[in-house]
Amino acid sequence: GLRRGLLQAGAGECAREIRPLVKEVVELEHLQAYLQWMRRLQQLSSQIESHLLTGSLSAAVEAHSQLDTLCSALKPSKCTHLQRFAAATQQHWSQQLRERLSNAFSEILKEFKWPFTSSVSSKTLDLWDKQQSRFSELFHLLLLLDEGPSPSPPPGVPPTLTDHVILPIELLLEPLRKRFKFHFYGEKKTNSKEKPEWYFTQVSAWIRDHTHFLENRIQPLLQVSALSHVDARVRNVWLQCPYYSRSLLAL
């Protein structure tokens, strides 16, 4: 009994001595993990910056995708400083990539005279054929960069005003919105309360002139992506409606 008591006392003393060491080991492991996360974040950040400097947009988007995955993996972490740093890094490069890709995409749209002023001509299609590969690449990269597309809606249900806006589709719509604002806002003669049919005539013409292109050039790009359920033609018309409706309601 005495021997057992001495052994237990010795074990207790040993445990008390080891406990601080175990705590230090755990803290060192946490610090090592923290530094590994930081190194990986900085590595991806440097990769994105390097790819942008060399014009390797595809590689930059791929590194950004890895950064997104890293940020998602950090969400359960209790290390708020690391989470904030990761989120700020991701947001910074997301904005940089979005601006770079959007500018490149818009330049191509200008080259083949988008938006069209009439039905698609053979000249426009020739211009499109020359830029198709680059356009398709940028369209795909914009989809990859885009945040959280909405899930597939039930059949026959149109997109709602709260649906996620698909970035390349939004860029296709922007020039049309600018033209609409030019003609139907402010003191323009075409912005007439007595002639609301001018609104409908112009919008109807734009829908007519762009439908073929959307169905035959844009829809195939969506079909091979995670957004195969999206109808480019319907989305184009539907997302214009609230913008144009505000003008009509102001009459």
Side-chain angles (χ1 to χ4, degrees):
L2 178 60
R3 185 177 179 182
R4 178 179 296 178
L6 290 172
L7 287 172
Q8 288 177 342
E13 181 65 26
C14 184
R16 283 191 294 274
E17 292 177 357
I18 291 176
R19 193 173 294 119
L21 296 176
V22 172
K23 184 179 179 182
E24 287 183 16
V25 169
V26 171
E27 289 177 350
L28 286 172
E29 288 177 344
H30 288 168
L31 178 59
Q32 184 181 31
Y34 181 94
L35 292 174
Q36 287 175 343
W37 282 106
M38 285 294 295
R39 277 196 296 269
R40 183 56 178 154
L41 284 167
Q42 291 170 344
Q43 181 185 42
L44 288 171
S45 183
S46 296
Q47 286 178 8
I48 295 171
E49 183 177 23
S50 176
H51 292 318
L52 285 177
L53 288 173
T54 59
S56 304
L57 296 181
S58 181
V61 171
E62 172 58 31
H64 183 270
S65 178
Q66 294 178 39
L67 182 59
D68 283 342
T69 301
L70 200 65
C71 289
S72 297
L74 280 171
K75 285 182 179 178
S77 172
K78 295 180 181 179
C79 188
T80 55
H81 293 292
L82 184 60
Q83 285 179 327
R84 284 197 291 267
F85 177 76
T89 302
Q90 189 273 344
Q91 184 178 16
H92 169 75
W93 289 119
S94 179
Q95 291 174 347
Q96 293 293 316
L97 282 166
R98 181 177 292 245
E99 181 179 345
R100 184 76 169 269
L101 289 169
S102 296
N103 288 341
F105 190 78
S106 296
E107 284 302 313
I108 287 186
L109 291 179
K110 291 177 184 177
E111 286 186 24
F112 62 85
K113 312 301 181 185
W114 176 278
F116 310 133
T117 55
S118 60
S119 297
V120 181
S121 66
S122 57
K123 182 179 179 181
T124 298
L125 293 178
D126 288 340
L127 290 170
W128 160 258
D129 290 337
K130 293 178 181 178
Q131 295 289 353
Q132 181 178 3
S133 177
R134 180 63 171 161
F135 180 91
S136 300
E137 179 191 13
L138 290 171
F139 193 96
H140 177 65
L141 292 177
L142 285 165
L143 289 180
L144 290 177
L145 182 65
D146 222 357
E147 299 174 351
S150 57
S152 176
V157 177
T160 68
L161 302 185
T162 58
D163 273 356
H164 174 73
V165 176
I166 301 167
L167 184 52
I169 299 294
E170 179 69 13
L171 292 171
L172 286 167
L173 285 173
E174 187 58 29
L176 289 168
R177 290 174 177 160
K178 287 181 178 178
R179 290 192 179 188
F180 185 88
K181 188 174 182 179
F182 176 82
H183 289 293
F184 299 113
Y185 276 65
E187 301 300 321
K188 296 289 182 181
K189 291 183 179 180
T190 44
N191 185 27
S192 171
K193 294 181 179 181
E194 288 72 34
K195 297 290 185 178
E197 65 271 18
W198 287 352
Y199 291 79
F200 294 108
T201 300
Q202 182 61 78
V203 174
S204 296
W206 282 337
I207 292 172
R208 179 199 65 221
D209 294 340
H210 295 84
T211 292
H212 182 272
F213 182 84
L214 291 169
E215 289 179 339
N216 293 279
R217 298 293 192 272
I218 302 302
Q219 191 62 46
L221 299 178
L222 292 171
Q223 289 300 123
V224 296
S225 74
L227 298 173
S228 58
H229 62 278
V230 173
D231 187 318
R233 180 179 55 82
V234 172
R235 181 65 65 115
N236 176 62
V237 174
W238 193 261
L239 290 178
Q240 290 183 67
C241 288
Y243 190 81
Y244 302 144
S245 296
R246 286 196 293 270
S247 296
L248 294 174
L249 290 172
L251 294 177

